[in-house]
Structure formats: C-alpha cells, structure tokens
Amino acid sequence: MDTATEETGRRVTTLELFFDLVFVFTLTQLTVLLAADLSFATAGRVALIFVVLFWMYGAYAYLTNQVPPDRPSRRLLLMLGMAAFLVCALAIPRVFDDTGVVFGLGFLLVVIVHTALYTRSHGWDSVWYGVPNALAALSVTAAGLVDGLPADGLWILALSLQFMTPFVAEHGPGRRDGRTAAALRVQLGALDPAHFVERHGLLLIVAFGESVISIGVGIGDLPLSPGLFGGAFLALALAVALWWTYFVRDEEGAEAAFRATPPQQRWRLAMNAYYYAFLPMLLGIACLAAGVKKTLGHLTEELATGPALALAGGVALFLVGDVAFRRAMRLLPVRHRAVAAPVALAAAFLGVRWSAAVELVALVTVLVAMLAVEARWCTAERRGLDMARA
C-alpha cells in the first residue's frame, strides 16, 4: 500500500453500501412495527430487535474493514449475508406472532456467514466470536416458539450472549496468556479509521433517507394543500437539522480521534462510539419516522400521547446518542446538545395540548437554536485559540 493510501484510508465499496441499504430495510420494518402500535411495550420490543440486529451489523462493519470484499468468494458470501438480513427484515412485522422462527433462522445464517468470512483474516480464532453469536441466534429462534414473557426473556438472553462475545474472544480458553490477549486487542483495533467512519456515516445517511420516505407515506392519498406542504417541509427540516448535528462536525472529528488512538484501544473506542452511541441515534430516527407517519395527516389536531412522544422522543433519543458519541470521541462542545435533548422531549406536551404542527415547529426551533448557539461557541473558541497562538 502506498503512502497516500495509508494517509487517506480505504473507501467504502459500492457492495458495502448495497449491504447497508438492505440492512436499513430492517430499520424501515421496525418503523412499520412501531407505527402500527405506538405503545411502550411495542417500543421496548422494537428496541430489543434492533439492538440484536445492530450488533451483527457492527460485526459486519468490522469484518469488511479488515476483510474487504475484493474477491468473488468474499463478494458472494457478503451477498449471502445480505439475503439473510433480508429474511430477518421481512419477518420483523410479525416476529412476536408467527414469524419468530423464520427471523431466528435468518439471523443464524447472518452469524454463520460472518464467521466464515472472518476466518479469512483471523483464522480459526473466529470461533470465539462465532459461538456466542450463534447461541444468541438460537436463543432468538427459540423465542419464536413461545409467547409473552418467556419470549422476551429469550431475546434478553440473546443480548447477554452478544455482549459476552468480546470477553469470550479475549479471555476464553487458550487466551489466558496476557500477551495473547494484548495481541488480540491490537488485531481488533487494526481498523482503517477513514473506512470505518465513512461506513457508519453512510449508514446514518441511508437511515435519514428512510425518514424522508416516511413523509410520503404519512401524506398518502391526502389532497395536497399549503398546510400539508408546510407539515412536510417541517418534517424535512427536522431530518436536515439532525443531519447537520452529526455530519457538519462530528464525522471529521471522529476520524481524527481514531487516528490519534493507539491500535490496542481502537476497538473499545469503536464499540463505545459506533455501537452503544449509535444505537439511540438510529432508534431515534426510527421513532421520528413512525411519528411523522402518524402525524402528517393530522397537523391541526391534538395528538395522542403515542405519536407526540414518537416525534419528540425520536429527536431526544438522537441527541442523547450524539452526546454519548461526542463524549466517547472527546469532541466539544457537548452541553448544548445535552440541554436540547430534554427540551425536545418536552415538546411532546405541545403536540398533546395543541397540535402536531405546533410540536413540529417547536422541535425545529429547538434544533436550530442549539446549532446556532453551538456555532457561536465554536467561533469564539477558534478566536481564542488564534489569539493564544498570536
């Protein structure tokens, strides 16, 4: 690899972007599930499903960072993984009714393909990732055979098994030698910062695209009117403001933070920033999309609690995730977004008390004000640094 390539990093391939498009269909299906029943019980189950799925998406993002799909055999296996995610997505709307086993078997195939591809770079050490993930998939499959609390318990067991995977991989049998564990941390941290950051940024932008599609779904066959266009523009302004929140400063700063982090610490940084912090960001987009679907046809009406909370809670969840992301990456400032999150959540009261239009205006105002105050702070900070250097 030449020096220029090392400096700029590898770019995300079109096949990886294609993979992300298929994965984001699972987020779309979760939006459908949530919009069908805007209740806390359904929201909890949507969170369970997505946390399980996003774990394996993150595993594939690590995989293609270290095992690029640049050969026919790798491309074909990655396409098989795409097909497995599609099976999961198609089963989501009735996963707690009659398609749970189908979902689980599709998820098991996701795990098997991932493990097979990882043997290309990590050899048979990949079994320490594959076994806990496969047990998690079997737990999800078993959940499809039961109902109620036992099913929820099996989903939680699957989550527990997934979260144990890094510990098993690092400290499992044959890894008691501290030097071996340190070597594994370096191997896991040998990711390309530019590729990893770009990959997750593209995932986020595709998710935003799905939120824009929800505007069209929410309008449906309603007659086009100035008021309806106004509501659509407000929904679009929300998505644009959330895009601005991450893409204007966070992405570039994240890549610099990765490059400044020693390899043996990068995988922990990636977990904290691009798994734990990205979860509420992506779930926030899904909640916002469900809220938009339910409100655009009722802009002048008082909202029920569910749709009002979906709109405001989606924005607040995204901001909470972005605060966690910035803290993990040590990006400043943080406090403006931390303050904006509960203020955005409180906007749900406006939708319940007055109308959907009032809540949308309030949410856009909160985000625009947050970004404006933050931009002013950044400008003042830069001036202070310039004066200190002078």
Side-chain angles (χ1 to χ4, degrees):
M1 184 181 293
D2 59 37
T3 305
T5 304
E6 288 179 357
E7 181 67 25
T8 60
R10 184 169 61 82
R11 299 299 302 273
V12 174
T13 65
T14 53
L15 181 57
E16 290 171 279
L17 181 56
F18 197 177
F19 183 97
D20 292 352
L21 287 167
V22 174
F23 174 76
V24 169
F25 180 50
T26 66
L27 194 64
T28 303
Q29 292 288 79
L30 288 171
T31 301
V32 171
L33 180 61
L34 183 59
D37 178 25
L38 282 171
S39 66
F40 287 111
T42 302
R45 287 182 163 181
V46 163
L48 273 177
I49 296 168
F50 186 67
V51 172
V52 168
L53 284 172
F54 191 56
W55 176 269
M56 285 311 300
Y57 171 83
Y60 272 86
Y62 258 106
L63 167 72
T64 54
N65 189 276
Q66 299 182 344
V67 187
D70 53 5
R71 304 172 193 173
S73 60
R74 293 179 181 180
R75 292 180 186 130
L76 289 171
L77 279 172
L78 194 59
M79 290 174 186
L80 183 58
M82 291 166 57
F85 266 120
L86 181 62
V87 170
C88 294
L90 292 172
I92 282 174
R94 301 196 314 276
V95 70
F96 285 96
D97 295 325
D98 58 2
T99 59
V101 173
V102 174
F103 179 98
L105 293 176
F107 192 65
L108 182 60
L109 182 58
V110 168
V111 172
I112 291 171
V113 171
H114 175 264
T115 306
L117 273 166
Y118 236 134
T119 59
R120 305 300 180 92
S121 65
H122 289 31
W124 288 106
D125 280 350
S126 303
V127 70
W128 300 114
Y129 310 110
V131 169
N133 287 332
L135 289 173
L138 291 173
S139 180
V140 169
T141 305
L145 300 173
V146 295
D147 298 316
L149 288 177
D152 294 338
L154 286 166
W155 276 88
I156 293 171
L157 174 61
L159 282 182
S160 302
L161 288 165
Q162 287 180 331
F163 290 168
M164 285 171 54
T165 301
F167 180 83
V168 172
E170 189 173 349
H171 302 288
R175 297 193 180 281
R176 295 178 182 175
D177 183 348
R179 290 175 298 178
T180 305
L184 178 66
R185 284 193 291 271
V186 173
Q187 187 180 43
L188 286 170
L191 54 80
D192 182 327
H195 176 273
F196 199 74
V197 171
E198 183 186 15
R199 179 76 187 273
H200 285 84
L202 289 173
L203 172 68
L204 201 58
I205 201 68
V206 173
F208 279 132
E210 293 296 323
S211 73
V212 174
I213 290 172
S214 70
I215 297 174
V217 175
I219 290 175
D221 297 327
L222 293 172
L224 298 179
S225 65
L228 196 59
F229 276 118
F233 291 148
L234 284 171
L236 180 61
L238 269 182
V240 169
L242 292 177
W243 169 88
W244 195 295
T245 299
Y246 176 81
F247 284 98
V248 168
R249 293 190 182 92
D250 289 13
E251 194 171 40
E252 183 179 345
E255 184 177 337
F258 261 122
R259 292 192 185 281
T261 302
Q264 65 269 24
Q265 298 174 18
R266 282 183 182 176
W267 74 283
R268 282 291 183 192
L269 181 62
M271 281 288 294
N272 291 335
Y274 286 103
Y275 180 72
Y276 296 119
F278 250 55
L279 274 172
M281 292 170 73
L282 289 165
L283 280 171
I285 294 173
C287 288
L288 177 62
V292 167
K293 285 181 181 180
K294 287 293 188 179
T295 58
L296 283 186
H298 310 278
L299 286 169
T300 59
E301 303 171 16
E302 295 178 2
L303 291 177
T305 303
L309 277 176
L311 276 177
V315 174
L317 259 179
F318 185 94
L319 291 175
V320 166
D322 192 62
V323 166
F325 179 86
R326 285 199 150 208
R327 286 193 180 278
M329 289 294 183
R330 297 184 177 87
L331 302 177
L332 295 175
V334 172
R335 64 178 182 272
H336 306 103
R337 301 178 186 208
V339 170
V343 175
L345 183 60
F349 173 78
L350 300 177
V352 173
R353 181 65 178 83
W354 280 284
S355 69
V358 172
E359 181 177 353
L360 285 168
V361 169
L363 287 170
V364 172
T365 302
V366 168
L367 291 177
V368 170
M370 176 197 78
L371 292 169
V373 171
E374 187 173 281
R376 188 172 181 178
W377 182 93
C378 291
T379 301
E381 190 74 6
R382 282 195 299 270
R383 285 176 181 169
L385 289 173
D386 291 341
M387 289 177 65
R389 290 184 186 128

